[in-house]
Amino acid sequence: MLSRFVLRRLASSALKPHNFRNTSTATATSTTSATATDDFDFDDFEELISDVTSIKHDSTQTFAKLLRESKFVQLGDFDGRLVIGNIVHRVHDDLYVDFGMKFNAVVKAPEDDATKYTIGSRVLLRLRDPELSEKFLGSKRELTLLEADASLVKLLGGGQGPRRRTTTPKQESQPPAKSVEPSES
Amino acid sequence: MLRSLSLGVARGCSSAGSLLTRAVSTSLPVASGSSQEAIPGIDVEPSADLLRKARVQPVLLKPYVDPVLHNEDHFEMAKEVSIADMFAARVHYGHRIGTLNDNMKWALYGERQGICVFDLNVTQKYLIKALNFLAHVSYRGGMVLFVTSDKANMLMVEKMATDMGQYSHTRKWQEGTLTNTGQLFGASVRLPDVIVFLSTLSSVLERHPGVVEAAKMTIPTIGICDSNAEPNYVTYPVPGSDDSTPTLKYYMQLFKLAVDKGREAREKAGNA
């Protein structure tokens, strides 16, 4: 739908524009000759813009639907999944990485290129466990460590930069700062 | 920690005001006859007969109660709390199923791969109740104390609490902070009118001692209860995650909104 809109915007400068609501799936060049008398209504323009931009922000989705379509459910079994996170804190060589789930993962920065792992950098992690918790002998409930278990794969982006800025809104709109590599099993 | 609690008027003489009459300087005659209905806006005391009947039917006292308290969602917090925002703030993530407290099962949607998931519809309902209560307390000029043992987020909580003109306690909780003020602080101290627990568990994952102390001092509490928390002594439990920084930021923004709404309504009522 977006590409058709762009084509017509370009065509309208050269050829006479027509009413968008009455068009079929045909391209701009073929239909302008047939309905050349229709005037371009700027009220429809606003409607069309709002249609295009409001696709992603559906605030009427139920919780069940949001959960079912979330990355959290898509990931399935967490062991071995590749996730992308941001470094939120650093203590010497320990990096605290936020990858979109409840807890941060704590990984060691490698000796070479340790200075490149700054707060705000994007890193690729191999997730093992989103929450480390074990049951100890004699206790009724498990004891949680309040952190995730992951191993560092590589550094992706820098701390500040245009590349990070384009992905930040996506990270914030859904819980994950995670993406699944196609080669993943 | 002394800076966190203000010295002033003792709690017994707090200016919270009674619910039945609102700032009455001129006393009006008591309404005679049980059948007479009070007209809203006129401060009339209910008759003894009506009070006796209200023991079994409390709803009879509704006309005598401040109109602000008639609607459950007076401050319109239902508009501010949306499922999509809560989802983006990761409120629905719980702990592992092995750490689940039996008293939190009512709030769960289920578990996914061993991780508990909160039902955000339930969370929304309880969060709206808690926010309205907080706004009402702020409307009456009450003191709010924010308590958390989360060392990663304590500075953020302290800052946001100060920004809204309220108080916070994020360091080690001394036993007797609320119950033994005479010995700990010397002079008599004004206690908070509501305590908001960003996490009802202490750093050793046991029930926070402040919850029980507040219950002993009859201070209402609002508590974010995670899946491993105990919601028993909390007045307004809010089931949800209490661990991620974005989640706590989201809660604090909502609490700030509630406190600000209450304060604005108070200023407006004071000016009117």
Side-chain angles (χ1 to χ4, degrees):
Chain A
M1 188 182 165
L2 183 60
S3 56
R4 271 189 281 130
F5 171 70
V6 168
L7 275 169
R8 289 204 193 96
R9 277 287 284 149
L10 292 169
S12 66
S13 56
L15 305 156
K16 191 164 182 182
H18 55 276
N19 196 340
F20 287 107
R21 275 182 298 189
N22 297 335
T23 50
S24 58
T25 52
T27 59
T29 47
S30 58
T31 47
T32 38
S33 53
T35 55
T37 52
D38 286 353
D39 262 314
F40 181 43
D41 197 350
F42 275 99
D43 292 332
D44 301 338
F45 188 83
E46 290 298 318
E47 239 178 72
L48 199 68
I49 288 279
S50 66
D51 271 343
V52 169
T53 54
S54 65
I55 281 171
K56 291 216 161 83
H57 304 286
D58 188 0
S59 53
T60 56
Q61 276 193 317
T62 61
F63 167 64
K65 197 167 174 66
L66 274 173
L67 182 70
R68 181 62 189 87
E69 293 172 357
S70 68
K71 288 277 181 156
F72 169 64
V73 167
Q74 255 182 52
L75 276 183
D77 185 17
F78 302 105
D79 192 10
R81 305 315 297 262
L82 282 172
V83 295
I84 295 174
N86 296 313
I87 299 174
V88 290
H89 191 55
R90 183 174 173 162
V91 177
H92 299 300
D93 276 340
D94 294 322
L95 309 167
Y96 291 75
V97 184
D98 173 22
F99 56 96
M101 287 197 67
K102 195 169 161 76
F103 298 106
N104 299 334
V106 187
V107 292
K108 282 266 187 214
E111 281 113 24
D112 48 307
D113 294 340
T115 50
K116 284 191 187 163
Y117 291 85
T118 55
I119 289 177
S121 325
R122 283 172 73 231
V123 290
L124 188 68
L125 302 170
R126 192 173 287 278
L127 182 63
R128 299 281 168 221
D129 202 343
E131 181 178 347
L132 286 166
S133 72
E134 277 300 330
K135 195 163 179 184
F136 286 85
L137 205 63
S139 63
K140 190 177 135 193
R141 279 195 282 272
E142 285 181 11
L143 191 73
T144 172
L145 234 72
L146 303 176
E147 76 179 45
D149 187 16
S151 34
L152 186 65
V153 175
K154 67 173 182 179
L155 180 70
L156 293 175
Q160 269 79 43
R163 200 183 302 161
R164 181 177 176 264
R165 216 165 282 285
T166 52
T167 51
T168 313
K170 184 183 145 200
Q171 286 167 5
E172 260 149 47
S173 64
Q174 302 167 17
K178 337 177 227 199
S179 71
V180 177
E181 299 267 318
S183 59
E184 193 48 59
S185 60
Chain B
M1 197 189 66
L2 265 172
R3 283 190 292 272
S4 311
L5 291 167
S6 77
L7 291 167
V9 179
R11 190 159 186 272
C13 340
S14 81
S15 57
S18 82
L19 285 172
L20 286 176
T21 56
R22 187 155 64 106
V24 178
S25 53
T26 60
S27 59
L28 291 163
V30 175
S32 58
S34 55
S35 56
Q36 193 170 15
E37 287 285 312
I39 304 153
I42 295 177
D43 294 336
V44 175
E45 296 242 355
S47 64
D49 197 34
L50 191 69
L51 282 171
R52 204 180 337 111
K53 284 188 179 167
R55 266 190 253 156
V56 251
Q57 257 191 300
V59 72
L60 287 172
L61 289 174
K62 200 168 176 185
Y64 299 89
V65 167
D66 194 324
V68 164
L69 294 163
H70 283 176
N71 183 10
E72 216 181 84
D73 194 10
H74 174 80
F75 289 98
E76 289 168 0
M77 298 314 276
K79 291 191 291 187
E80 318 289 345
V81 180
S82 79
I83 303 269
D85 285 340
M86 284 198 282
F87 198 88
R90 314 179 208 171
V91 169
H92 59 292
Y93 287 145
H95 285 268
R96 282 270 179 202
I97 195 84
T99 61
L100 176 66
N101 190 317
D102 292 335
N103 287 325
M104 288 305 297
K105 282 182 178 172
W106 55 277
L108 292 189
Y109 184 75
E111 60 120 331
R112 167 74 182 168
Q113 296 287 331
I115 301 205
C116 299
V117 176
F118 283 104
D119 188 353
L120 288 186
N121 296 303
V122 174
T123 303
Q124 186 184 36
K125 194 171 89 175
Y126 282 84
L127 189 52
I128 289 168
K129 277 188 203 173
L131 288 171
N132 261 299
F133 178 73
L134 193 62
H136 275 291
V137 168
S138 175
Y139 173 68
R140 302 286 175 183
M143 188 209 289
V144 185
L145 183 71
F146 291 91
V147 176
T148 180
S149 339
D150 189 352
K151 297 291 173 245
N153 299 299
M154 66 180 187
L155 295 174
M156 184 265 290
V157 170
E158 278 183 353
K159 185 179 182 298
M160 287 194 83
T162 333
D163 284 345
M164 47 173 126
Q166 299 294 349
Y167 305 88
S168 63
H169 186 300
T170 58
R171 315 286 159 151
K172 175 138 185 12
W173 182 275
Q174 276 191 324
E175 200 197 311
T177 301
L178 301 174
T179 50
N180 201 6
T181 56
Q183 199 154 40
L184 288 181
F185 308 119
S188 59
V189 167
R190 178 184 168 185
L191 290 178
D193 298 300
V194 66
I195 302 182
V196 180
F197 286 93
L198 274 302
S199 164
T200 53
L201 294 178
S202 65
S203 42
V204 289
L205 302 178
E206 286 168 355
R207 185 196 275 126
H208 198 288
V211 175
V212 177
E213 284 193 26
K216 283 182 183 173
M217 300 303 290
T218 64
I219 299 170
T221 47
I222 295 171
I224 309 286
C225 300
D226 208 334
S227 60
N228 58 348
E230 289 167 68
N232 299 342
Y233 287 93
V234 181
T235 325
Y236 292 90
V238 176
S241 168
D242 63 3
D243 289 298
S244 329
T245 308
T247 315
L248 288 185
K249 266 203 185 116
Y250 173 73
Y251 291 136
M252 286 304 286
Q253 275 163 16
L254 283 178
F255 292 142
K256 183 176 192 307
L257 188 71
V259 167
D260 287 343
K261 273 196 179 187
R263 191 178 51 236
E264 278 156 22
R266 182 182 174 77
E267 281 162 16
K268 206 166 117 187
N271 295 340

